[in-house]
Amino acid sequence: MNDSLIRACRLERPERRPVWFMRQAGRYLKEYREIRKNYSVLELCRRPEEAAEISALPVNRFDLDAAIVFSDIMIPLTGMNADIRIIENEGPKVAGRIENAEDVQRLREFDPSTVQYVYEAVERTRRMLSDRVPVIGFAGGPFTLSSYLIEGSSSRDFMRVKKFMYRKRELWDELMGKLADMCISHLQEQHRAGCRVLQLFDSWAGTLSAADYMEYVRPYTEHITRRLSADGAIVIHFITGNPSLVSCMACRGVSAVSVDWRVNIRDVMDALPDLAVQGNLEPALMMAPKQMMLERASRILAETEGRPGHIFNLGHGMPAEADVENVEALVKLVHGEMR
Ligand code: CP3
């Protein structure tokens, strides 16, 4: 097994610098688009054979240091009785968004057997890759999930979820408690299926101030990360959009923080000497001229040189318009194979 990712997460010296990309299995790959023609995203997530094939695609093509299970953060919510669709170029839609106590009560306790196909996809992906690289398991963070449930869709200003959080504190705590329990059991099942590394995607929590994050979200996140690390799992914590949350991401149980392009990655490493740091190339550079992209990636490599525990990634997901040649060149650069 290529254990570069695991060694980096433990601040040990890996054989080579690990690199993988959030949303590495997606629309920028024509092989993905080909399979996707016949199914919706959610249908694909429910088909372990196709899901495993999709996860393995970018790993084989670019020699990446990790696979990520093909699923979506909305999938486990379907196992809690939520009615979810995903609209292309828009994102998730929730029918009957959460507004009151009855809506929160309607959300059933998560039963992992309702999404058994995710854990089967993990096992199939491991087999398909002969355990050559780790398979990362994941879940959405409790703020990001509650924002989809309360807003009903993607949001720009998150007014509904913030109003709910401020005005209905008890209900907020009940909802966050249910979501945190779901995250724990969904991630534990992926860990059991063989994901040694787990990433918590709290993508939209950066809309909160540090004070509100600490008050309304972090206790739940820390509950999740402590439980998982007690099981021996390695946890990566990801939030975008808010440099002042970087140190708040370092809760107990977290091995690595994943940061976006708005922060200087060396500053993050200096501020968090006991943690691995993942990131943080601007995703739009995947559509920039190759030399420009390589030059900017080289700066990140130089800034993090000599410090163990850097996991190369983008600051957010791989864009659908990413240039495949850029992806190829970037991985070679990180691996020191650029001529
Ligand atoms: O390759 C991978 O990283 C694994 C699979 C993965 C998907 N979603 C599949 C998917 C992962 C890790 C996710 C996480 C996810 N889903 C997040 C957190 C990460 C982030 O980007 O912040 C969020 C917020 C979602 C919700 C979601 N699902 C969005 C916003 C979208 C995009 C809608 C669009 O069309 O632009 C989805 C759909 C989705 N999930 C796609 C994929 C590959 C889009 C591809 C398609 O339409 O075929």
Side-chain angles (χ1 to χ4, degrees):
M1 151 95 73
N2 162 356
D3 64 353
S4 306
L5 173 69
I6 289 163
R7 293 182 69 88
C9 287
R10 293 185 174 141
L11 298 183
E12 297 165 2
R13 300 244 167 226
E15 216 157 281
R16 64 182 187 186
R17 201 187 296 236
V19 50
W20 71 281
F21 303 111
M22 295 180 264
R23 293 279 176 87
Q24 63 189 20
R27 279 175 299 201
Y28 74 106
L29 288 173
K30 77 170 183 321
E31 297 87 341
Y32 172 82
R33 295 195 300 269
E34 201 54 43
I35 303 172
R36 169 82 163 74
K37 265 201 238 157
N38 306 308
Y39 309 98
S40 70
V41 187
L42 292 181
E43 279 169 348
L44 275 182
C45 294
R46 295 185 174 113
R47 301 180 70 89
E49 206 177 319
E50 280 79 6
E53 192 186 335
I54 294 169
S55 285
L57 272 174
V59 178
N60 290 329
R61 169 137 192 198
F62 306 114
D63 191 23
L64 296 162
D65 298 291
I68 178 161
V69 59
F70 191 81
S71 182
D72 193 86
I73 60 165
M74 304 305 283
I75 282 282
L77 296 177
T78 64
M80 298 175 79
N81 210 22
D83 182 350
I84 310 287
R85 278 177 307 145
I86 293 183
I87 315 282
E88 193 161 347
N89 297 320
E90 279 186 43
K93 289 267 185 278
V94 181
R97 61 187 167 77
I98 290 181
E99 291 184 272
N100 53 38
E102 292 83 77
D103 299 335
V104 174
Q105 263 117 51
R106 218 174 355 101
L107 206 60
R108 273 203 296 258
E109 190 186 333
F110 173 68
D111 172 2
S113 71
T114 55
V115 297
Q116 200 56 44
Y117 49 82
V118 177
Y119 319 124
E120 195 185 325
V122 171
E123 283 165 6
R124 275 181 181 267
T125 306
R126 288 180 55 198
R127 259 182 276 139
M128 190 163 259
L129 291 166
S130 314
D131 276 328
R132 276 184 287 117
V133 293
V135 178
I136 300 170
F138 71 91
F143 180 83
T144 300
L145 295 174
S146 72
S147 79
Y148 281 117
L149 289 172
I150 293 170
E151 301 280 342
S153 64
S154 306
S155 172
R156 211 162 43 84
D157 54 19
F158 298 93
M159 284 302 161
R160 276 196 186 124
V161 60
K162 289 180 185 177
K163 179 178 166 192
F164 190 103
M165 189 175 92
Y166 291 137
R167 295 192 70 108
K168 300 184 173 152
R169 181 64 201 253
E170 274 181 28
L171 261 192
W172 173 258
D173 285 322
E174 194 182 329
L175 175 60
M176 292 294 273
K178 278 189 172 180
L179 293 172
D181 288 345
M182 176 277 276
C183 287
I184 291 170
S185 95
H186 189 48
L187 290 167
Q188 280 178 329
E189 290 297 323
Q190 292 174 75
H191 186 231
R192 252 176 236 133
C195 296
R196 294 168 69 189
V197 179
L198 303 170
Q199 179 157 323
L200 198 59
F201 284 89
D202 218 352
S203 309
W204 310 138
T207 187
L208 298 175
S209 68
D212 279 349
Y213 179 78
M214 294 306 278
E215 164 91 18
Y216 294 97
V217 182
R218 177 150 140 162
Y220 298 98
T221 309
E222 195 157 59
H223 177 56
I224 299 167
T225 57
R226 289 179 68 180
R227 276 291 291 276
L228 296 165
S229 72
D231 295 343
I234 293 169
V235 182
I236 305 175
H237 188 194
F238 170 71
I239 296 179
T240 68
N242 188 345
S244 75
L245 289 194
V246 169
S247 56
C248 308
M249 285 162 73
C251 31
R252 271 174 294 175
V254 167
S255 294
V257 295
S258 188
V259 294
D260 77 14
W261 61 96
R262 296 161 177 102
V263 295
N264 176 277
I265 195 161
R266 185 74 216 188
D267 293 345
V268 176
M269 289 182 158
D270 291 344
L272 303 172
D274 301 331
L275 293 188
V277 180
Q278 175 170 281
N280 69 340
L281 192 69
E282 155 73 80
L285 282 163
M286 301 319 289
M287 288 87 82
K290 195 199 287 183
Q291 283 315 314
M292 182 190 294
M293 180 279 295
L294 290 173
E295 197 268 315
R296 301 281 288 274
S298 302
R299 277 191 228 166
I300 294 175
L301 294 174
E303 278 169 346
T304 53
E305 188 62 50
R307 200 294 202 165
H310 179 229
I311 304 154
F312 200 100
N313 207 312
L314 304 181
H316 202 164
M318 183 65 75
E321 300 80 25
D323 180 342
V324 174
E325 277 187 33
N326 273 3
V327 180
E328 205 162 14
L330 177 55
V331 176
K332 288 209 162 81
L333 178 80
V334 177
H335 284 159
E337 293 161 4
M338 207 68 184
R339 279 180 299 137

